[in-house]
Amino acid sequence: MDAVGPDFSKGAAWMAGEIVPIADAKISVLDWGLTHSDITYDVVHVWDGVFFRMDDYLDRFFESIAKLHLDVPQTRSEMREILHAIVARSGLQRSYVSLVASRGVPGIPGSRDPRDCINHFYAWCVPFVWVFTEEMVARGVKLMVPDFVQRIAPEAVDPTAKNYHWGDFTQGLIAAKQAHYDNTVLVDTNGNVTEGPGFNIFMVKDGIVRTPRRGMLEGITRRTAIEMCAACGIECVEEDVLLAEMMEADEVFATTTGGGVVAVVQMNERVFSNGVAGPVTSQLSQLYWNWHEDPKFIQPVNYQVSG
Ligand code: PLP
């Protein structure tokens, strides 16, 4: 027995009933999750020792599992216990916690029939991941909207089932980084804004907030932003938003589990709100973190139970 014991400080994973250090978490090269992107996942976060809106993330995860015709044996309450156990084992106070359901490996070697695959669930946590670095959050994000790649059509891959089909985003990200932007946002075939890799997008014009209604993941942070608008008496509309309309915005912001409500100060050549966070963005951003102290939304991690 190792006197020091395994190191869980960089994260922990629950794999087939065992909690292992994140570096030891592995899946088969034959897993359809890997070979076909036939997988769904969700990400909940822990902030200062509490899970935020865990039940909403679990609802979405179970909806994604159903949409993909996956079937995993773990119940919702077992998953909840697993999430507490891995975070407790890691000791992390701020964590990015992922739940994954994969098609798995066919029980009949070489079978091409998805029904032969043994679906499986696993979960892992690592220190909190910022979708935009803290430096970008502080100064406001610059997004590139490339004209050579569109978001995968929702009729082809349902974006409301959270997925790893990120080939379009990755092409956008490479172009954005090469052109010294921070990140990318993609349009659909009609020129409507969709979403970016890990975030939803909103615009504010004449005091009215607008966000795309389709062709994107229905983010939990997006929902939180919509609810915060209602709580603040700000009108918020879910509807198609043309890129040309967003370019006329007074303010633009992104929403993500990996950082909350984040000001977007530039899209392509266009600079918004004089290059700093606008008033609506600042108000919602502040309220988002305040809601992390509201018992309605939080569940303290049970650090006593570590599996
Ligand atoms: N859109 C995509 C493609 C995402 O992957 C994510 C989150 O990872 C989001 C939007 C934002 O969703 P949420 O607020 O639930 O993090």
Side-chain angles (χ1 to χ4, degrees), residues 182-208:
D182 300 320
N183 212 309
T184 190
V185 77
L186 300 184
V187 292
D188 68 12
T189 187
N190 298 314
N192 291 310
V193 179
T194 61
E195 60 184 343
F199 57 92
N200 291 109
I201 190 110
F202 287 70
M203 64 173 277
V204 188
K205 178 82 180 164
D206 299 330
I208 297 173

Side-chain angles (χ1 to χ4, degrees), residues 41 60 162 166 169 195-196 198-200 217 219-221 256-257:
Y41 75 113
R60 183 174 67 180
K162 200 166 156 67
W166 276 33
F169 285 145
E195 60 184 343
F199 57 92
N200 291 109
L217 179 74
I220 302 297
T221 324
T256 172
T257 298

Side-chain angles (χ1 to χ4, degrees), residues 217-276:
L217 179 74
E218 290 169 4
I220 302 297
T221 324
R222 173 183 180 274
R223 188 191 307 172
T224 306
I226 293 167
E227 290 172 5
M228 290 192 296
C229 284
C232 296
I234 300 168
E235 187 179 347
C236 180
V237 191
E238 297 171 62
E239 61 184 358
D240 291 341
V241 179
L242 286 165
L243 177 60
E245 294 174 305
M246 191 162 279
M247 287 298 187
E248 297 302 315
D250 300 327
E251 296 176 44
V252 174
F253 61 86
T255 59
T256 172
T257 298
V261 176
V262 177
V264 173
V265 295
Q266 187 176 339
M267 276 170 86
N268 295 345
E269 305 288 293
R270 170 80 160 92
V271 174
F272 301 106
S273 51
N274 296 319
V276 293

